[in-house]
Amino acid sequence: MADQTPRVPPAYAVIQQQLIDARDRLDRAVTRLTRMHEFNARALRLQTPETFPALVAEAVVDIFEVEFGIFWHLDGDGQRLAPAGTFGLPAGYAADPAPAGLGLADLPDWPNNRACRIDAQTGQGLAPGLPVGQAIGARCADSDGRTIALVVAGTTTDRSGIYEAFDPEMSEVFGLFAQLLAALLENRRSRAVIENQMEAIQVSGERLNLALQGANDGLWDWNLETNEVYYSPRWKAMLGYRPEELPDSFETWTRLVDPAMYQPTLDSVAD
């Protein structure tokens, strides 16, 4: 009896397989982007900057499903690399595989925020003794184009067969990851500057208050743009008032000023 099973045309079978492969690649890309979003949320909540490199290295392994991740953050002078954050390195390898003193001039000449394949020579330069099988890396550059970090994802020669070969889609997402890291680092840098400025302002304010108390002087301040006025408690006390008896307003000054000095004072301010 003849076989009645419908036969699938070869061309259709090829197209069907291509569609399956495309769907698998899309699913992997969506998964990576979702994990990147989750990492970004964790990084923004991070309160201890010194743990950021280790968080990045762990995220590299989680997002891209590789054996190890390494992240170097450039020091403020941009000339040498701070200690690395690593995750998944084989036992027996240093926590920071980079040679001592590795700096900006020693980094591969890669385009900013784009994934690049790491060959054997480059791999040995970045991590001497580490048997790199397949790896990619990227420079993380800030908005001024300055390299502020380096991130690497890879597998060792002993375990390369366990992991899938790196594909163009992975490289594209890895470049986006490098851009995300650069933005996070700039955010942390800006936040640190603001916090330092706020601390300096607070210290200056405390010193001013101590100086005014020591001098027994009153202080008043008039914002000419908003017309807001501040009178210190000592200023009010010098006029014989309690703090709550005089509102912090321009009208308080107009009510208390010598009428003969009212217009000359306003003219002086206008000049």
Side-chain angles (χ1 to χ4, degrees), residues 113-190:
N113 298 327
R114 292 183 59 185
C116 296
R117 291 296 183 113
I118 296 179
D119 56 29
Q121 181 177 357
T122 303
Q124 285 303 303
L126 292 174
L130 185 65
V132 177
Q134 58 176 351
I136 56 175
R139 286 174 175 251
C140 305
D142 64 13
S143 54
D144 295 324
R146 295 174 300 187
T147 301
I148 55 178
L150 179 71
V151 60
V152 172
T155 62
T156 59
T157 53
D158 294 337
R159 306 194 65 185
S160 287
I162 302 176
Y163 297 89
E164 293 186 8
F166 295 175
D167 54 32
E169 288 80 9
M170 175 180 175
S171 296
E172 184 175 354
V173 178
F174 198 80
L176 295 176
F177 185 64
Q179 295 179 39
L180 172 62
L181 294 179
L184 285 169
L185 289 171
E186 283 200 281
N187 175 279
R188 300 193 70 85
R189 185 169 58 189
S190 299

Coordinates of all heavy atoms in Angstrom, one line a residue, residues 113-190:
N113 N 30.9 52.3 23.0 CA 29.6 51.8 23.2 C 29.1 50.8 22.1 O 28.0 50.7 21.7 CB 28.5 52.9 23.3 CG 28.8 53.8 24.5 OD1 29.3 53.4 25.5 ND2 28.5 55.1 24.3
R114 N 30.1 50.0 21.5 CA 29.8 49.0 20.5 C 30.5 47.8 20.9 O 31.7 47.8 21.3 CB 30.2 49.5 19.1 CG 29.3 50.6 18.6 CD 29.7 51.0 17.2 NE 29.6 49.8 16.3 CZ 30.0 49.9 15.0 NH1 30.5 51.0 14.5 NH2 29.8 48.8 14.2
A115 N 29.9 46.6 20.7 CA 30.5 45.3 21.1 C 31.5 45.0 20.0 O 31.3 45.1 18.8 CB 29.4 44.3 21.1
C116 N 32.7 44.4 20.5 CA 33.7 44.0 19.6 C 34.2 42.6 20.0 O 34.3 42.4 21.2 CB 34.9 45.0 19.6 SG 34.4 46.6 18.9
R117 N 34.6 41.8 19.1 CA 35.1 40.5 19.4 C 36.5 40.6 20.0 O 37.3 41.5 19.6 CB 35.2 39.6 18.1 CG 33.8 39.2 17.5 CD 33.1 38.3 18.5 NE 31.8 37.8 17.9 CZ 31.6 36.6 17.6 NH1 32.5 35.6 17.8 NH2 30.4 36.2 17.1
I118 N 36.8 39.8 20.9 CA 38.1 39.8 21.6 C 38.9 38.6 21.1 O 38.5 37.4 21.3 CB 37.9 39.7 23.1 CG1 37.2 41.0 23.6 CG2 39.3 39.6 23.8 CD1 37.0 41.0 25.1
D119 N 40.0 38.8 20.4 CA 40.8 37.8 19.9 C 41.7 37.3 21.0 O 41.8 37.8 22.1 CB 41.6 38.2 18.7 CG 42.5 39.4 18.9 OD1 42.9 39.6 20.1 OD2 42.7 40.2 18.0
A120 N 42.5 36.2 20.7 CA 43.4 35.6 21.8 C 44.4 36.6 22.3 O 44.6 36.7 23.5 CB 44.0 34.4 21.2
Q121 N 45.0 37.4 21.5 CA 46.0 38.4 21.9 C 45.4 39.4 22.8 O 46.0 39.7 23.9 CB 46.7 39.0 20.7 CG 47.8 40.0 21.1 CD 48.4 40.6 19.8 OE1 48.1 40.2 18.7 NE2 49.4 41.5 20.0
T122 N 44.3 40.0 22.4 CA 43.6 41.0 23.2 C 43.2 40.4 24.6 O 43.3 41.0 25.6 CB 42.4 41.6 22.5 OG1 42.8 42.1 21.3 CG2 41.7 42.7 23.3
G123 N 42.7 39.2 24.5 CA 42.2 38.5 25.7 C 43.4 38.3 26.7 O 43.2 38.5 27.9
Q124 N 44.5 38.0 26.2 CA 45.7 37.8 27.1 C 46.2 39.1 27.7 O 46.7 39.2 28.8 CB 46.8 37.1 26.4 CG 46.6 35.6 26.2 CD 46.4 34.9 27.5 OE1 47.2 34.9 28.4 NE2 45.2 34.2 27.6
G125 N 46.0 40.2 26.9 CA 46.4 41.5 27.4 C 45.5 42.0 28.5 O 46.0 42.7 29.4
L126 N 44.2 41.7 28.4 CA 43.3 42.1 29.4 C 43.3 41.2 30.7 O 43.1 41.6 31.8 CB 41.9 42.2 28.9 CG 41.6 43.3 27.8 CD1 40.2 43.1 27.2 CD2 41.8 44.7 28.4
A127 N 43.4 39.9 30.4 CA 43.4 38.9 31.5 C 44.4 37.8 31.3 O 44.1 36.7 30.8 CB 42.0 38.3 31.6
P128 N 45.7 38.2 31.6 CA 46.8 37.2 31.4 C 46.5 35.9 32.1 O 46.1 35.8 33.2 CB 48.0 37.9 32.0 CG 47.6 39.4 31.9 CD 46.2 39.4 32.2
G129 N 46.7 34.8 31.3 CA 46.6 33.5 31.9 C 45.2 32.9 31.8 O 45.0 31.7 32.0
L130 N 44.2 33.7 31.5 CA 42.8 33.3 31.4 C 42.6 32.7 30.0 O 42.7 33.4 29.0 CB 41.8 34.4 31.7 CG 40.3 34.0 31.7 CD1 40.0 33.2 32.9 CD2 39.5 35.3 31.8
P131 N 42.2 31.4 29.9 CA 42.1 30.7 28.6 C 40.8 31.1 28.0 O 39.8 30.4 28.0 CB 42.1 29.2 29.0 CG 41.6 29.2 30.4 CD 42.0 30.4 31.1
V132 N 40.8 32.3 27.3 CA 39.5 32.8 26.7 C 39.2 32.0 25.4 O 40.0 32.0 24.5 CB 39.7 34.3 26.4 CG1 38.5 34.8 25.7 CG2 40.0 35.1 27.7
G133 N 38.0 31.5 25.4 CA 37.5 30.8 24.2 C 36.9 31.7 23.3 O 37.3 32.0 22.2
Q134 N 35.7 32.3 23.6 CA 35.1 33.3 22.9 C 34.7 34.4 23.8 O 34.3 34.2 25.0 CB 33.9 32.8 22.1 CG 32.8 32.1 23.0 CD 31.6 31.7 22.2 OE1 31.4 32.0 21.0 NE2 30.7 31.0 22.9
A135 N 34.8 35.7 23.4 CA 34.5 36.8 24.3 C 34.2 38.0 23.4 O 34.7 38.2 22.3 CB 35.7 37.1 25.2
I136 N 33.5 38.9 24.0 CA 33.2 40.2 23.4 C 33.4 41.3 24.5 O 33.3 41.0 25.7 CB 31.8 40.4 22.8 CG1 30.7 40.1 23.8 CG2 31.7 39.5 21.6 CD1 29.3 40.3 23.3
G137 N 33.7 42.5 24.1 CA 33.9 43.6 25.0 C 33.4 44.9 24.4 O 33.2 45.0 23.2
A138 N 33.3 45.9 25.3 CA 32.9 47.2 24.8 C 33.4 48.3 25.7 O 33.5 48.1 26.9 CB 31.4 47.3 24.7
R139 N 33.8 49.4 25.1 CA 34.2 50.6 25.8 C 32.9 51.3 26.2 O 32.0 51.5 25.3 CB 35.0 51.6 25.0 CG 36.5 51.1 24.8 CD 37.1 52.1 23.8 NE 38.6 51.9 23.6 CZ 39.5 52.6 24.1 NH1 39.2 53.7 24.8 NH2 40.8 52.4 23.9
C140 N 32.7 51.7 27.4 CA 31.6 52.5 27.8 C 32.0 54.0 27.8 O 32.9 54.4 28.6 CB 31.1 52.1 29.2 SG 30.7 50.4 29.4
A141 N 31.4 54.8 27.0 CA 31.8 56.2 26.9 C 30.7 57.1 27.3 O 29.5 56.9 27.1 CB 32.1 56.5 25.4
D142 N 31.1 58.2 28.0 CA 30.1 59.2 28.5 C 29.7 60.1 27.3 O 30.1 59.9 26.2 CB 30.7 60.0 29.6 CG 31.9 60.9 29.3 OD1 32.2 61.0 28.1 OD2 32.6 61.3 30.2
S143 N 28.9 61.1 27.7 CA 28.3 62.0 26.6 C 29.3 62.8 25.9 O 29.1 63.4 24.9 CB 27.2 62.9 27.3 OG 27.8 63.6 28.4
D144 N 30.5 63.0 26.5 CA 31.6 63.7 25.9 C 32.6 62.8 25.1 O 33.6 63.3 24.6 CB 32.5 64.4 27.0 CG 31.6 65.5 27.7 OD1 30.8 66.2 27.0 OD2 31.8 65.7 28.9
G145 N 32.2 61.5 25.0 CA 33.0 60.6 24.2 C 34.2 60.0 25.0 O 35.1 59.4 24.4
R146 N 34.3 60.3 26.3 CA 35.4 59.8 27.1 C 35.1 58.4 27.6 O 34.1 58.1 28.1 CB 35.7 60.7 28.3 CG 36.2 62.1 27.9 CD 36.3 63.0 29.1 NE 35.0 63.1 29.7 CZ 34.8 64.0 30.7 NH1 35.7 64.7 31.2 NH2 33.6 64.1 31.3
T147 N 36.1 57.5 27.4 CA 36.0 56.1 27.9 C 36.0 56.1 29.4 O 37.0 56.6 30.0 CB 37.0 55.2 27.4 OG1 37.0 55.2 25.9 CG2 36.9 53.8 27.9
I148 N 34.9 55.6 30.1 CA 34.9 55.6 31.5 C 34.8 54.2 32.1 O 34.9 54.1 33.3 CB 33.7 56.5 32.0 CG1 32.4 56.0 31.4 CG2 33.9 57.9 31.7 CD1 31.1 56.7 31.9
A149 N 34.7 53.2 31.2 CA 34.6 51.9 31.7 C 34.8 50.9 30.6 O 34.7 51.3 29.4 CB 33.3 51.6 32.4
L150 N 35.1 49.6 30.9 CA 35.2 48.5 30.0 C 34.5 47.3 30.5 O 34.6 47.0 31.7 CB 36.7 48.2 29.8 CG 37.0 47.0 28.8 CD1 36.7 47.5 27.4 CD2 38.5 46.6 28.9
V151 N 33.7 46.7 29.7 CA 32.9 45.5 30.1 C 33.2 44.4 29.1 O 33.3 44.6 27.9 CB 31.4 45.8 30.1 CG1 30.9 46.3 28.8 CG2 30.6 44.7 30.7
V152 N 33.3 43.2 29.7 CA 33.7 42.0 28.9 C 32.8 40.8 29.3 O 32.5 40.7 30.5 CB 35.2 41.6 29.2 CG1 35.5 40.3 28.5 CG2 36.1 42.7 28.6
A153 N 32.4 40.1 28.3 CA 31.6 38.9 28.5 C 32.3 37.7 27.7 O 32.7 37.9 26.6 CB 30.2 39.0 28.0
G154 N 32.3 36.5 28.3 CA 33.0 35.5 27.6 C 32.9 34.1 28.2 O 32.3 33.9 29.2
T155 N 33.6 33.2 27.6 CA 33.7 31.8 28.0 C 35.1 31.4 27.9 O 35.9 31.9 27.1 CB 32.8 30.8 27.2 OG1 33.2 30.9 25.8 CG2 31.3 31.3 27.3
T156 N 35.5 30.4 28.7 CA 36.9 29.8 28.6 C 36.9 28.7 27.5 O 35.9 28.2 27.1 CB 37.3 29.3 30.0 OG1 36.4 28.2 30.4 CG2 37.3 30.4 31.0
T157 N 38.1 28.4 27.1 CA 38.3 27.3 26.1 C 37.7 26.0 26.6 O 37.2 25.2 25.8 CB 39.7 27.2 25.7 OG1 40.5 27.0 26.9 CG2 40.3 28.4 25.0
D158 N 37.8 25.7 27.9 CA 37.3 24.4 28.4 C 35.8 24.3 28.3 O 35.3 23.2 28.3 CB 37.8 24.3 29.8 CG 39.3 24.1 29.9 OD1 40.0 23.8 28.9 OD2 39.9 24.4 31.0
R159 N 35.1 25.4 28.4 CA 33.7 25.4 28.5 C 32.9 26.0 27.3 O 31.7 26.2 27.3 CB 33.2 26.0 29.8 CG 33.9 25.4 31.0 CD 33.2 25.8 32.3 NE 31.8 25.3 32.4 CZ 31.0 25.6 33.3 NH1 31.3 26.4 34.3 NH2 29.8 25.0 33.3
S160 N 33.7 26.4 26.3 CA 33.0 27.1 25.1 C 32.0 26.2 24.5 O 31.0 26.7 24.0 CB 34.1 27.5 24.1 OG 34.8 28.6 24.6
G161 N 32.2 24.9 24.5 CA 31.2 24.0 23.9 C 29.9 24.0 24.6 O 28.9 23.5 24.0
I162 N 29.9 24.4 25.8 CA 28.6 24.3 26.6 C 27.7 25.5 26.2 O 26.5 25.4 26.3 CB 28.9 24.4 28.1 CG1 29.8 23.2 28.5 CG2 27.6 24.3 28.9 CD1 30.2 23.2 29.9
Y163 N 28.3 26.6 25.8 CA 27.6 27.8 25.5 C 27.4 28.0 24.0 O 28.2 27.6 23.2 CB 28.3 29.0 26.1 CG 28.4 29.0 27.6 CD1 29.5 28.3 28.2 CD2 27.5 29.5 28.5 CE1 29.6 28.3 29.6 CE2 27.6 29.5 29.8 CZ 28.7 28.8 30.4 OH 28.8 28.8 31.8
E164 N 26.3 28.7 23.7 CA 26.0 29.0 22.3 C 27.1 30.0 21.7 O 27.6 30.8 22.5 CB 24.6 29.6 22.1 CG 23.5 28.6 22.4 CD 22.1 29.2 22.1 OE1 22.1 30.3 21.5 OE2 21.1 28.5 22.5
A165 N 27.3 29.9 20.5 CA 28.2 30.8 19.8 C 27.6 32.2 19.8 O 26.4 32.4 19.7 CB 28.5 30.3 18.4
F166 N 28.5 33.2 20.0 CA 28.0 34.6 20.0 C 27.5 35.0 18.6 O 28.2 34.8 17.6 CB 29.2 35.5 20.4 CG 29.6 35.3 21.9 CD1 30.7 36.0 22.4 CD2 29.0 34.4 22.7 CE1 31.1 35.8 23.7 CE2 29.4 34.2 24.0 CZ 30.5 34.9 24.5
D167 N 26.3 35.5 18.6 CA 25.7 35.9 17.3 C 25.6 37.4 17.2 O 25.8 38.2 18.1 CB 24.4 35.3 17.1 CG 23.4 35.6 18.3 OD1 23.5 36.7 18.9 OD2 22.6 34.7 18.6
P168 N 25.3 37.9 16.0 CA 25.2 39.4 15.8 C 24.2 40.0 16.7 O 24.3 41.2 17.1 CB 24.8 39.5 14.3 CG 25.4 38.3 13.7 CD 25.2 37.2 14.7
E169 N 23.1 39.3 17.0 CA 22.0 39.9 17.8 C 22.6 40.1 19.2 O 22.3 41.1 19.9 CB 20.8 38.9 17.9 CG 20.0 38.9 16.6 CD 20.6 38.0 15.5 OE1 21.5 37.3 15.8 OE2 20.1 38.1 14.4
M170 N 23.4 39.2 19.7 CA 24.0 39.4 21.0 C 24.9 40.6 21.1 O 24.9 41.4 22.0 CB 24.7 38.1 21.4 CG 25.5 38.2 22.8 SD 26.4 36.7 23.2 CE 27.3 37.2 24.7
S171 N 25.7 40.7 20.0 CA 26.6 41.9 19.9 C 25.8 43.2 19.9 O 26.3 44.2 20.6 CB 27.5 41.8 18.7 OG 28.3 40.6 18.7
E172 N 24.7 43.2 19.2 CA 23.9 44.4 19.2 C 23.4 44.8 20.6 O 23.5 46.0 21.0 CB 22.8 44.3 18.2 CG 21.9 45.5 18.0 CD 20.9 45.4 16.9 OE1 20.9 44.4 16.2 OE2 20.1 46.3 16.8
V173 N 22.8 43.8 21.3 CA 22.3 44.1 22.6 C 23.4 44.4 23.6 O 23.3 45.3 24.5 CB 21.5 42.9 23.1 CG1 21.0 43.1 24.5 CG2 20.3 42.6 22.2
F174 N 24.6 43.8 23.4 CA 25.7 44.1 24.3 C 26.2 45.6 24.1 O 26.6 46.2 25.1 CB 26.9 43.2 23.9 CG 28.0 43.1 25.0 CD1 27.8 42.3 26.1 CD2 29.1 43.8 24.9 CE1 28.7 42.2 27.1 CE2 30.1 43.8 25.9 CZ 29.9 43.0 27.0
G175 N 26.1 46.1 22.9 CA 26.4 47.5 22.7 C 25.4 48.4 23.4 O 25.8 49.4 24.0
L176 N 24.1 48.0 23.4 CA 23.1 48.7 24.2 C 23.4 48.7 25.6 O 23.2 49.7 26.4 CB 21.7 48.2 23.9 CG 21.2 48.3 22.4 CD1 19.8 47.6 22.3 CD2 21.0 49.8 22.1
F177 N 23.9 47.5 26.1 CA 24.2 47.4 27.5 C 25.4 48.3 27.9 O 25.4 48.9 29.0 CB 24.6 45.9 27.8 CG 24.9 45.6 29.2 CD1 23.9 45.7 30.2 CD2 26.2 45.2 29.6 CE1 24.2 45.4 31.5 CE2 26.4 44.9 30.9 CZ 25.4 45.0 31.9
A178 N 26.3 48.5 27.0 CA 27.5 49.4 27.3 C 26.9 50.8 27.4 O 27.4 51.6 28.2 CB 28.5 49.3 26.2
Q179 N 26.0 51.2 26.5 CA 25.4 52.5 26.6 C 24.7 52.7 27.9 O 24.8 53.8 28.5 CB 24.4 52.7 25.4 CG 25.1 52.8 24.1 CD 24.1 52.9 22.9 OE1 23.1 53.7 23.1 NE2 24.3 52.2 21.9
L180 N 24.0 51.7 28.4 CA 23.3 51.8 29.6 C 24.2 51.9 30.8 O 24.0 52.8 31.7 CB 22.4 50.5 29.8 CG 21.8 50.3 31.2 CD1 20.8 51.4 31.5 CD2 21.1 49.0 31.3
L181 N 25.4 51.2 30.8 CA 26.4 51.3 31.8 C 26.9 52.8 31.9 O 27.1 53.3 32.9 CB 27.5 50.3 31.6 CG 27.1 48.9 31.8 CD1 28.3 48.0 31.5 CD2 26.5 48.6 33.2
A182 N 27.2 53.3 30.7 CA 27.8 54.7 30.6 C 26.8 55.7 31.2 O 27.2 56.6 32.0 CB 28.1 55.0 29.2
A183 N 25.5 55.5 30.9 CA 24.5 56.4 31.4 C 24.4 56.3 33.0 O 24.2 57.3 33.7 CB 23.1 56.1 30.8
L184 N 24.4 55.0 33.5 CA 24.4 54.8 34.9 C 25.6 55.4 35.6 O 25.4 56.1 36.7 CB 24.3 53.3 35.2 CG 23.0 52.6 34.9 CD1 23.1 51.1 35.0 CD2 21.9 53.1 35.9
L185 N 26.7 55.3 35.0 CA 27.9 55.9 35.6 C 27.9 57.4 35.6 O 28.3 58.0 36.6 CB 29.2 55.4 34.9 CG 29.5 53.9 35.1 CD1 30.7 53.5 34.1 CD2 30.0 53.7 36.5
E186 N 27.4 58.0 34.5 CA 27.2 59.4 34.5 C 26.2 59.9 35.6 O 26.3 60.9 36.2 CB 26.8 59.9 33.1 CG 27.9 59.9 32.1 CD 27.6 60.8 30.9 OE1 26.9 60.4 30.1 OE2 28.1 62.0 30.9
N187 N 25.1 59.1 35.7 CA 24.1 59.4 36.7 C 24.7 59.4 38.1 O 24.4 60.3 38.9 CB 22.9 58.4 36.6 CG 21.9 58.6 37.6 OD1 22.0 58.1 38.8 ND2 20.8 59.3 37.3
R188 N 25.5 58.4 38.4 CA 26.1 58.3 39.7 C 27.1 59.4 39.9 O 27.2 59.9 41.0 CB 26.8 56.9 39.9 CG 25.9 55.7 39.7 CD 26.6 54.4 40.2 NE 26.7 54.5 41.6 CZ 25.8 54.1 42.5 NH1 24.6 53.6 42.0 NH2 26.0 54.1 43.8
R189 N 27.8 59.8 38.9 CA 28.8 60.9 39.0 C 28.1 62.2 39.3 O 28.5 63.0 40.2 CB 29.7 60.9 37.8 CG 30.8 62.0 37.8 CD 31.7 61.8 36.7 NE 31.0 61.9 35.4 CZ 31.6 61.7 34.2 NH1 32.8 61.2 34.2 NH2 30.9 61.8 33.1
S190 N 27.0 62.4 38.6 CA 26.3 63.7 38.8 C 25.6 63.7 40.1 O 25.6 64.8 40.8 CB 25.2 63.8 37.7 OG 25.7 63.9 36.4

